[in-house]
Amino acid sequence: MSPTKTISNRTISNRTWAQLQVGDTASLDRVCSDRDLFLFAHVSGNTNPLMLPAEEGAPASDQPAVQPVAPSMWVGSLISAVLGNVLPGPGTLYRSQTFEFAHRVHVGDKLRVTVTCREKREEPTALFETVVTDADGIPVCKGVAVIDAPRLSVETSARALPTLIMDEKDHFAHLIALAAQLPRLKSAIVCPEDHNSLGGALLSADKGLIEPILIGDPERIAKAAADLGADLSGIKIVAECNHRAAADRAVAMVVAGEASAVMKGDLHSDDLLAAVVKKDGGLRAHGRISHVFVLDVPSRDELLFISDAAINIAPDLATKVDIVQNAIDLARACGLEVPKVGVLSAVEVVNPNIPSTLDAAILSKMAERGQIRGGIVDGPLAMDNAIDMEAARTKGITSLVAGHANVLIAPNLESGNMLAKELTFIAHAEAAGLVVGARAPVILTSRADNDRARLASCALAQLYDYWRRNGRAFTGAAEKALAAE
């Protein structure tokens, strides 16, 4: 879904005070939606919890006990749409409006808004009876509007309003709530020596996602805890002041079965990854490891996976095979049954002068032959026609992936990193990240990431670890109970 303006060919006209007759009437129909409640809260500043939809992923105790009620003034504001657009139409100005609210309106209710001219006063003033009724014709709002009707005839195109992008669904909240149903993942936190990295680890522990083991300089960890006002009693702390040695210690704990995941704290990624990929005592598996950004983009209806943007700088074809497979595996672990993978390049046709288009075409064919499993892979695709159906249609691309990609494979680290960070800092996407393809999940976040990013990344680690051990995605407590039986 791209943030473009909708062009309207509809024209609207008015009825002047001279043309207006007592008894003239007009109506518009409207269905109350979640979006209406959120938009009204933004515009009015009224965030009364009784008037907002339930927050996905929040504890039941924090949710409203009843179905949210549409603000009465939102209901009343619908009257202005009829007066301003239909009767009398463009040029109408309010003098006053009264309201009597007889019943409450809820999300999904169908409303009919009707205005009727009851009196013409001295030009240009007129009095209108206003009423909003539900699907059964029962009034939910009645009142009287006194307006100044237009004096000049107007016929104009209906205004095309800018598209509003709202983050209406919190995809990370669902993953976090799902992961919290699993046993805590014992995680070695490497150098949690600042408030960001320690705060994210402690929040993840508080939410039931991980059991943290803190490895680093005890004095710096204690200072970070003091800055947060956090109590570290009951949490295991392993003293290791050297960053590289701390990373080696965390990896050794995973190898020994003392931990099940590694989480980056306040150290450089190179120090952590060097310990992860070392030949002797590291966490290498059969293929190359890669990093996957998982983004909750406000304009999209599902999570977006981008790889590789943090580890493999200029991957060759063999490395890209592992990058694609790793991304598919993580997407499946997060609940996508058949991920749709768009292999990106600058263009959507094979061009021998652009090597990434050749790799993309080969990867697509390898997936068709079963050399890449679990997803539908297509490429080369440009960014626009990978995620936007209209762009794909315009360019005549027929594909199960084009316009629907939920996994994007970048040609190299630079382009992938820029893409993920542009979406984060310009499109206001929330980002989480995980290193996949190793013998254990590696939670690799930026030192600048906030607690929310670290919490979501821990949820990814939980779900990916479950998928690795069981060969399927975790779908909820009911499945867990069934497996126990």
Side-chain angles (χ1 to χ4, degrees):
M1 181 172 62
S2 57
T4 55
K5 291 184 178 180
T6 302
I7 304 301
S8 173
N9 294 321
R10 185 172 63 91
T11 60
I12 57 176
S13 58
N14 65 1
R15 195 169 303 180
T16 66
W17 184 90
Q19 296 169 329
L20 191 64
Q21 300 291 323
V22 173
D24 287 348
T25 188
S27 299
L28 286 178
D29 294 330
R30 180 71 174 264
V31 177
C32 180
S33 69
D34 283 346
R35 185 180 178 86
D36 292 323
L37 304 194
F38 283 125
L39 287 172
F40 189 83
H42 271 287
V43 173
S44 68
N46 179 5
T47 56
N48 182 342
L50 294 178
M51 298 176 181
L52 288 173
E55 185 177 358
E56 186 176 357
S61 58
D62 292 343
Q63 304 289 16
V66 296
Q67 186 182 8
V69 175
S72 296
M73 292 307 296
W74 174 81
V75 177
S77 71
L78 302 179
I79 295 167
S80 68
V82 187
L83 293 171
N85 294 339
V86 186
L87 184 72
T92 300
L93 296 173
Y94 258 124
R95 282 183 176 270
S96 66
Q97 170 78 59
T98 63
F99 295 116
E100 292 181 17
F101 299 102
H103 298 286
R104 302 303 176 193
V105 173
H106 301 88
V107 171
D109 286 355
K110 298 179 179 180
L111 305 175
R112 169 156 289 189
V113 186
T114 303
V115 302
T116 305
C117 181
R118 292 304 185 198
E119 181 183 345
K120 289 180 67 176
R121 298 177 177 175
E122 182 178 351
E123 187 177 359
T125 305
L127 183 146
F128 279 77
E129 177 185 276
T130 61
V131 61
V132 181
T133 57
D134 62 17
D136 296 322
I138 299 173
V140 297
C141 171
K142 295 192 296 183
V144 173
V146 178
I147 56 96
D148 282 350
R151 296 181 177 184
L152 299 176
S153 295
V154 174
E155 183 170 340
T156 185
S157 297
R159 177 75 178 271
L161 298 177
T163 297
L164 295 177
I165 297 176
M166 285 183 57
D167 193 0
E168 298 178 69
K169 186 173 179 62
D170 187 347
H171 297 94
F172 281 157
H174 169 70
L175 292 188
I176 292 166
L178 194 62
Q181 298 177 37
L182 290 166
R184 293 172 184 267
L185 190 66
K186 189 173 289 186
S187 303
I189 319 298
V190 186
C191 303
E193 298 167 353
D194 71 329
H195 68 279
N196 278 340
S197 56
L198 181 60
L202 295 180
L203 176 63
S204 300
D206 183 62
K207 296 295 185 181
L209 300 184
I210 66 171
E211 179 185 333
I213 303 169
L214 310 181
I215 305 174
D217 184 333
E219 291 185 4
R220 295 188 64 188
I221 293 173
K223 183 179 183 305
D227 291 342
L228 291 168
D231 180 7
L232 298 182
S233 58
I235 297 177
K236 183 176 181 180
I237 299 176
V238 178
E240 186 55 76
C241 297
N242 180 275
H243 283 189
R244 178 59 192 273
D248 287 337
R249 185 71 174 269
V251 169
M253 293 183 73
V254 173
V255 173
E258 299 172 19
S260 300
V262 175
M263 183 175 180
K264 177 177 176 284
D266 186 25
L267 78 164
H268 288 288
S269 297
D270 290 347
D271 287 333
L272 179 61
L273 293 175
V276 170
V277 303
K278 63 184 180 182
K279 291 184 179 180
D280 297 323
L283 298 178
R284 284 189 175 186
H286 62 279
R288 293 291 295 267
I289 67 170
S290 56
H291 179 271
V292 183
F293 271 114
V294 183
L295 295 105
D296 187 354
V297 185
S299 60
R300 292 185 60 83
D301 295 329
E302 59 187 355
L303 290 170
L304 184 65
F305 298 75
I306 297 176
S307 190
D308 183 351
I311 295 179
N312 297 286
I313 297 173
D316 58 15
L317 179 62
T319 302
K320 287 182 179 179
V321 172
D322 289 335
I323 289 172
V324 174
Q325 188 65 66
N326 289 342
I328 290 173
D329 291 348
L330 180 58
R332 293 178 65 192
C334 292
L336 291 181
E337 292 186 9
V338 184
K340 296 177 181 178
V341 182
V343 187
L344 299 179
S345 185
V347 294
E348 63 280 346
V349 294
V350 174
N351 184 336
N353 295 317
I354 307 178
S356 61
T357 66
L358 301 176
D359 288 350
I362 295 170
L363 292 167
S364 178
K365 180 57 68 175
M366 291 177 74
E368 288 182 14
R369 300 289 174 86
Q371 292 172 272
I372 298 172
R373 303 171 305 282
I376 304 171
V377 182
D378 193 19
L381 292 172
M383 180 64 182
D384 58 348
N385 47 63
I387 63 169
D388 187 87
M389 193 61 224
E390 187 59 35
R393 187 180 296 113
T394 298
K395 295 190 176 182
I397 302 173
T398 302
S399 163
L400 293 174
V401 174
H404 303 287
N406 41 40
V407 178
L408 300 176
I409 305 299
N412 51 46
L413 182 146
E414 296 157 293
S415 57
N417 193 276
M418 286 186 283
L419 173 58
K421 289 182 177 177
E422 285 166 356
L423 289 171
T424 301
F425 291 98
I426 296 177
H428 304 291
E430 286 191 304
L434 194 69
V435 174
V436 289
R439 290 161 56 189
V442 179
I443 305 162
L444 189 71
T445 54
S446 168
R447 283 178 288 173
D449 281 342
N450 60 24
D451 288 352
R452 170 76 167 174
R454 297 172 194 274
L455 179 64
S457 297
C458 288
L460 295 178
Q462 271 273 38
L463 297 173
Y464 179 66
D465 182 69
Y466 182 91
W467 187 89
R468 286 178 60 255
R469 290 186 288 102
N470 295 278
R472 65 180 186 277
F474 178 67
T475 57
E479 176 189 310
K480 181 181 174 184
L482 184 63
E485 293 176 2

